[in-house]
């Protein structure tokens, strides 16, 4: 055997010498045939492969690919086949596979895949797949394959079902794993055709193929564009729903159930619950899906060594996606898929599963904190804490030190602006991207800071200082984004939720705000941010949060240097006063000839989120007026007393409800008490008359007293 191998190498060396020294094409061709024969027989090691490349380079294979004249008596594609064999040989060297001379052959590779394949040309197809697989593994390869049309060629090759079609599918899966968005952006119709075939096969299959397809299908379910956008995508979803309903409704082994749960999670990630039809069958399926996910989570996480099984983390992460959908569907009031009885049953089952998640996180060791599965577990628990505030209270309180510490570690170690969506963890197991755990914990922390025990734990663990740092970081992310109106971004949502957390602390723990150095730092950020936010109407809800929080904190921190008439303090209060005084307007009342008070058009669409903050802000502004001697002048500059007095003197008193009357009166009384100029403005707008009409006794008395004091002074 050894001598045969030795003879083979000796022959190869002679052939290489002939290739180098050949005087004409026929000599070179004869030597080349022997070389390619050795290559196909697998007799070429890395050193010899390099020698072949050094002898002929890319020039000779390129000539072979474009040559139209085969040798006498040979098939038409002979030269092309030889050229592809040599390129496939070179591509086994990763350095050569990424060479521009290989990358510029991609259109040729595509042509071979799309050409009719007769029995003589199967080796060409095999060589092309070898080249494409090698290119895919290089740094530049995936981008080049997408832009040069390989996705479309692979789709067609798979749909044609010819030689190597399974390799086409495997390559598509590889490309989609690396460049899903670009692939769908460029070749959506072709990929949809593949998904259509796969979903049909999935529905029809009655054997193990069904479970094998559960592993393949998630690669072809795009996050964007949504499959629900066109009829072909909707038909695919319908087939997948029916196929999964068949699978999950049967008695399954673990190895059969796991891929089905992962497929369901991919569909939820892409389409929410839209792929599940309304009605009795759909609601039973959804309940079954969440139930199975909860059982899987409990069975796995309550084990002494929960993650020992192969691929367990991936399956449990998929179950987390299904549980998160379960939470959303149990809370959905408009067109709910679930009936109330089902919702109550699922909430009980989910409570048990989240108990297992908490138990698991309580056992996590420091060296495991970088594991993406820990992140997935914290994220899903955050979703539960955001919505379900009454259950597992004791267990969550005990876990809070871990959650704060974990979020702090991730925040300090990386840029928390980047994070993986939940099911993206299913797709990119082991990703080293820095992840933002705080973002998912904030809504739960907002609920918890309203209650004594969890709030005390969060304060003891240093959460306020961490949240202040995070607020500053998210503010920087937001201000670096485009200023054009856009859907609510995650930094903006996080900032709004943090304002809610800090408001809870300001209201329930004012002593903490006075003594903790975190809060003056936060105050500085608020002073600078509101004047920038307010002019951008698409940031109105965030502006309302910042204005109200800043005013509430200013009452407590009135003695701090930053608030002593500094430019930033005056700009903040000017912006806050404009926000408050421009929220209402006079408009024609259809039921009478007069005017009625109404929410200003610019505030109308956001009033559900802004209204409560506005009332709180008015109270806080009234409380700030006596604390800052320069504030009445700032109010006059922002035309606050003028605007309020004008509004109240024009509208019908019956159109102003008692809550609004109280809010307006609180601010006007403090301004009138603190400043003669403000009082004069109110009086000039017939303040005494309308104060009486609105039943503003405190304002009426204040105007009368101050007016009396002025006339007494004048009389003297």
């Amino acid at each position: 055997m050894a001598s045969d191998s030795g003879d083979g190498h000796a022959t190869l060396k002679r052939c290489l010498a002939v290739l180098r020294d050949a005087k004409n094409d026929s000599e070179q061709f004869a030597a080349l045939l022997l070389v390619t024969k050795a290559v196909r027989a697998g007799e070429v090691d890395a050193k010899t492969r390099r020698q072949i490349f050094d002898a002929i380079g890319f020039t000779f294979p390129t000539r072979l690919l474009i040559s139209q004249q085969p040798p006498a008596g040979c098939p038409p594609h002979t030269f092309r086949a030889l050229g592809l064999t040599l390129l496939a040989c070179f591509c086994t060297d990763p350095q050569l596979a990424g060479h521009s001379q290989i990358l510029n052959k991609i259109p040729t590779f595509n042509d071979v895949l799309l050409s009719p394949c007769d029995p003589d040309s199967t080796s060409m197809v095999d060589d092309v797949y070898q080249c494409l697989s090698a290119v895919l593994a290089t740094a530049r390869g995936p981008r080049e394959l997408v832009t040069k049309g390989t996705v479309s060629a692979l789709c067609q090759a798979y749909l044609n079902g010819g030689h190597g079609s399974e390799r086409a599918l495997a390559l598509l899966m590889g490309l989609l794993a690396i460049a899903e968005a670009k692939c769908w952006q460029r070749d959506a119709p072709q990929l949809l055709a593949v998904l259509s075939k796969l979903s049909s096969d999935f529905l029809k299959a009655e054997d193990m193929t069904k479970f094998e397809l559960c592993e393949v299908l998630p690669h072809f379910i795009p996050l964007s564009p949504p499959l629900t956008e066109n009829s072909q995508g909707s038909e695919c979803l319908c087939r997948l729903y029916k196929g999964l309903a068949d699978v999950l409704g049967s008695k399954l082994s673990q190895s059969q159930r796991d891929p089905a749960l992962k497929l369901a999670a991919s569909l939820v990630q892409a389409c929410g619950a839209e792929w599940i039809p309304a009605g009795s069958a759909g609601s039973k399926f959804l309940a079954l899906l969440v139930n199975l996910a909860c059982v899987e989570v409990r069975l796995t996480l309550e084990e002494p060594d929960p993650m020992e099984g192969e691929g367990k983390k991936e399956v449990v992460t998929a179950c987390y996606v299904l549980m998160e959908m379960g939470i959303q569907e149990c809370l959905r009031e408009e067109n709910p898929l679930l009936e109330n009885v089902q919702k109550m049953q699922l909430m009980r089952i989910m409570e048990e599963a989240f108990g297992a998640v908490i138990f698991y996180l309580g056992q996590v060791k420091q060296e495991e904190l970088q594991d993406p599965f820990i992140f997935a577990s914290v994220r899903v628990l955050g979703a539960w804490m955001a919505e379900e505030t009454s259950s597992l209270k004791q267990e969550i309180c005990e876990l809070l030190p871990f959650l704060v510490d974990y979020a702090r570690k991730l925040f300090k170690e990386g840029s928390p602006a980047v994070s993986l969506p939940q099911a993206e963890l299913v797709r990119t197991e082991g990703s080293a991207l820095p992840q933002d755990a705080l973002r998912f914990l904030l809504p739960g922390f907002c609920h918890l800071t309203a209650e004594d025990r969890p709030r005390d734990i969060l304060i003891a663990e240093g959460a306020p200082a961490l949240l202040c740092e995070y607020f500053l970081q998210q503010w920087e992310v937001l201000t670096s984004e485009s200023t054009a109106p856009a859907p609510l971004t995650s930094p903006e949502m996080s900032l709004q939720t943090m304002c809610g957390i800090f408001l809870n602390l300001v209201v329930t723990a004012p002593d903490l705000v006075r003594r903790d150095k975190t809060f003056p730092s936060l105050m500085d950020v608020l002073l600078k941010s509101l004047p920038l936010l307010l002019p951008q109407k698409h940031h109105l809800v965030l502006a309302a949060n910042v204005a109200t929080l800043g005013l509430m904190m200013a009452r407590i921190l009135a003695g701090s240097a930053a608030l002593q008439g500094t430019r930033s303090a005056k700009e903040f209060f000017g912006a806050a006063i404009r926000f408050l005084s421009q929220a209402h307007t006079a408009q024609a009342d259809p039921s009478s000839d007069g005017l009625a008070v109404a929410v200003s058009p610019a505030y109308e669409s956001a009033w559900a989120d802004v209204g409560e903050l506005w009332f709180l802000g008015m109270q806080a502004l009234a409380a700030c007026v006596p604390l800052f001697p320069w504030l009445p002048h700032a109010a006059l500059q922002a035309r606050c007393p003028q605007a309020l007095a004008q509004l109240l003197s024009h509208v019908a008193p019956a159109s102003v409800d008692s809550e609004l009357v109280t809010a307006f009166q609180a601010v006007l009384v403090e301004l009138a008490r603190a400043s003669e100029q403000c009082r004069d403005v109110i009086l000039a707008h017939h303040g005494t008359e309308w104060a009486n009409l609105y039943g503003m006794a405190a304002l009426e008395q204040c105007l009368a007293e101050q007016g009396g004091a002025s006339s007494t002074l004048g009389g003297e």
Side-chain angles (χ1 to χ4, degrees):
M1 196 76 183
S3 65
D4 285 352
S5 174
D7 291 347
H9 279 299
T11 307
L12 205 53
K13 281 184 179 173
R14 282 198 300 277
C15 294
L16 288 171
V18 173
L19 274 173
R20 270 195 305 272
D21 306 329
K23 302 285 187 295
N24 55 52
D25 281 355
S26 59
E27 281 183 23
Q28 208 167 35
F29 178 65
L32 191 60
L33 276 175
L34 287 169
V35 170
T36 50
K37 188 178 174 186
V39 167
R40 282 180 182 155
E43 292 171 5
V44 179
D45 56 21
K47 186 182 172 188
T48 314
R49 181 178 59 233
R50 197 73 211 194
Q51 287 174 335
I52 297 171
F53 177 72
D54 292 340
I56 61 174
F58 284 117
T59 312
F60 196 61
T62 302
R63 273 175 57 203
L64 289 169
L65 288 178
I66 58 174
S67 175
Q68 301 296 320
Q69 293 295 320
C74 293
H77 56 255
T78 301
F79 280 149
R80 192 180 226 199
L82 290 172
L84 288 169
T85 298
L86 288 169
L87 291 179
C89 169
F90 297 161
C91 278
T92 53
D93 180 336
Q95 277 186 311
L96 294 179
H99 195 286
S100 58
Q101 285 286 346
I102 294 285
L103 299 179
N104 67 24
K105 306 288 186 299
I106 290 173
T108 303
F109 301 152
N110 297 343
D111 286 346
V112 173
L113 293 183
L114 295 172
S115 302
C117 178
D118 56 51
D120 291 337
S121 56
T122 55
S123 66
M124 281 171 57
V125 173
D126 290 335
D127 288 335
V128 162
Y129 281 127
Q130 189 171 323
C131 292
L132 291 174
S133 299
V135 169
L136 179 61
T138 65
R140 280 173 60 199
R143 187 174 68 246
E144 294 286 330
L145 291 170
V146 173
T147 54
K148 289 187 162 77
T150 302
V151 174
S152 177
L154 289 169
C155 288
Q156 202 53 56
Y158 174 69
L159 292 168
N160 290 345
H163 178 75
S165 60
E166 290 307 313
R167 290 183 75 177
L169 189 67
L171 273 166
L172 279 172
M173 286 160 65
L175 258 175
L176 287 164
I178 297 165
E180 181 184 282
K182 286 189 173 68
C183 290
W184 277 95
Q185 211 174 338
R186 189 187 162 97
D187 294 296
Q190 291 82 354
L191 286 165
L192 206 49
V194 171
L195 178 59
S196 194
K197 175 175 164 42
L198 290 170
S199 61
S200 293
D201 292 349
F202 177 61
L203 182 57
K204 289 176 202 158
E206 297 288 344
D207 54 10
M208 285 305 291
T209 312
K210 210 174 191 81
F211 302 103
E212 288 161 12
L213 284 167
C214 282
E215 301 273 16
V216 172
L217 277 158
H219 294 274
F220 291 89
I221 295 164
L223 295 177
S224 175
L227 285 172
T228 46
E229 268 184 7
N230 65 48
S231 59
Q232 195 179 359
S234 297
E235 285 163 16
C236 291
L237 290 174
C238 185
R239 288 192 287 268
L240 292 172
Y241 159 72
K242 286 178 181 169
L244 271 172
D246 288 346
V247 169
L248 293 171
S250 312
K251 192 168 172 57
L252 300 173
S253 67
Q254 180 111 31
S255 63
Q256 293 168 329
R257 186 171 59 248
D258 289 355
L261 289 171
K262 287 195 280 186
L263 172 56
S266 294
L267 288 163
V268 169
Q269 163 113 36
C271 318
E274 281 185 65
W275 58 285
I276 301 171
S280 171
S283 69
K284 280 179 186 166
F285 173 76
L286 194 150
L288 172 67
L289 206 49
V290 177
N291 208 328
L292 286 171
C294 290
V295 170
E296 184 63 36
V297 166
R298 282 193 65 190
L299 285 174
T300 307
L301 297 187
E302 288 173 358
E303 285 287 314
D305 296 305
M307 292 306 151
E308 279 196 339
E310 188 63 37
K312 267 288 157 203
K313 290 178 182 178
E314 219 174 304
V315 178
V316 175
T317 306
C319 291
Y320 288 165
V321 177
L322 300 174
M323 284 162 61
E324 217 171 310
M325 174 191 67
I327 296 169
Q328 288 158 6
E329 289 306 315
C330 284
L331 295 166
R332 187 157 123 185
E333 290 173 9
E334 202 175 324
N335 303 323
L337 280 171
L338 297 167
E339 293 168 11
N340 286 336
V341 177
Q342 289 172 311
K343 288 181 181 182
M344 287 165 66
Q345 287 169 341
L346 278 185
M347 287 305 276
R348 278 198 301 274
I349 293 160
M350 285 196 286
E351 184 175 339
E352 291 171 355
F354 280 107
V357 174
I358 293 168
F359 171 78
Y360 170 73
L361 288 173
Q363 319 297 310
V364 168
K365 299 177 180 68
Q366 284 294 311
E367 61 269 21
E368 297 172 321
L369 291 181
Q370 287 300 329
D371 186 343
F373 180 71
I374 307 297
F375 178 82
S377 303
V378 169
R379 173 186 164 144
V380 78
L381 181 60
W384 177 257
M385 288 162 58
E387 306 298 349
E388 181 45 68
T389 55
S390 58
S391 75
L392 301 169
K393 187 69 59 69
Q394 171 73 22
E395 293 85 345
I396 285 169
C397 282
E398 287 169 10
L399 192 67
L400 279 177
F402 166 80
L403 293 175
V404 174
D405 184 54
Y406 176 73
R408 183 187 289 113
K409 277 194 166 63
L410 286 195
F411 176 67
K412 301 283 186 190
E413 284 169 15
S415 157
V418 184
S419 81
L420 291 174
Q422 182 75 285
E424 202 62 13
L425 289 163
V426 180
R427 297 174 182 216
T428 53
E429 182 76 22
S431 165
L433 276 176
Q435 294 159 348
D436 179 2
L438 258 177
R439 170 183 155 200
F440 300 108
L441 292 169
L442 290 176
F445 285 178
C446 196
H447 294 311
L448 293 170
T449 46
E451 299 178 37
D452 294 342
R453 183 167 175 240
R455 180 174 63 248
D456 291 345
I457 296 169
L458 287 168
I459 291 168
E461 294 300 324
L466 171 62
L467 290 170
C468 183
E469 280 185 70
Y470 186 63
F471 190 98
L472 184 58
Q473 194 264 358
Q474 292 290 291
W475 171 249
E476 285 169 2
V477 173
L478 183 75
T479 49
S480 69
E481 289 175 353
S482 161
T483 53
L488 195 59
T489 59
S490 99
E492 187 161 6
M493 273 298 295
S494 295
L495 289 164
Q496 287 178 26
T497 311
M498 277 186 280
C499 286
I501 294 171
F502 287 125
L503 271 173
N504 284 343
L505 294 173
V506 167
V507 171
T508 58
D511 287 343
L512 172 76
V513 179
R514 281 188 198 96
R515 68 169 190 268
D516 193 319
K517 63 180 186 299
T518 293
F519 289 91
S521 305
L522 176 62
M523 191 77 225
D524 288 343
V525 180
L526 299 176
L527 294 180
K528 295 183 180 90
S529 56
L530 185 64
L532 296 171
L533 275 177
L534 198 64
Q536 300 175 47
K537 293 303 174 197
H538 57 289
H539 288 315
L540 183 64
V541 178
L542 180 56
N545 276 278
V546 168
T548 305
L549 176 60
L551 291 168
M552 296 282 283
M553 282 175 58
R555 296 179 317 168
I556 300 170
L557 299 173
S560 71
L563 292 167
Q564 304 313 307
T566 59
R567 182 178 168 184
S568 63
K570 286 180 176 176
E571 285 178 353
F572 169 83
F573 273 95
I577 290 165
R578 281 195 303 281
F579 160 70
L580 294 168
S581 61
Q582 292 169 6
H584 293 86
T585 187
Q587 68 175 34
D589 183 359
S591 62
S592 71
D593 294 336
L595 294 170
V597 75
V599 173
S600 299
Y603 289 63
E604 214 165 5
S605 62
W607 193 249
D609 298 311
V610 164
E612 205 175 319
L613 291 165
W614 183 86
F615 282 105
L616 205 52
M618 290 291 278
Q619 284 176 29
L621 176 61
C624 285
V625 172
L627 301 175
F628 302 104
W630 50 268
L631 192 48
H633 180 66
L636 283 165
Q637 278 190 313
R639 297 193 54 77
C640 171
Q642 299 94 312
L644 295 183
Q646 206 165 359
L647 177 69
L648 291 167
S649 61
H650 281 79
V651 298
S655 73
V656 187
D657 66 37
S658 60
E659 216 181 347
L660 263 182
V661 169
T662 305
F664 288 143
Q665 176 174 234
V667 170
L668 290 167
V669 164
E670 293 301 341
L671 287 172
R673 280 181 185 152
S675 157
E676 197 173 325
Q677 263 184 301
C678 288
R679 189 181 67 252
D680 290 345
V681 165
I682 296 167
L683 288 167
H685 284 84
H686 313 291
T688 310
E689 290 89 339
W690 51 253
N692 178 268
L693 280 173
Y694 287 102
M696 293 182 176
L699 180 61
E700 212 179 339
Q701 189 182 346
C702 172
L703 292 172
E705 282 172 7
Q706 300 288 341
S710 297
S711 30
T712 309
L713 287 168
E716 285 173 5

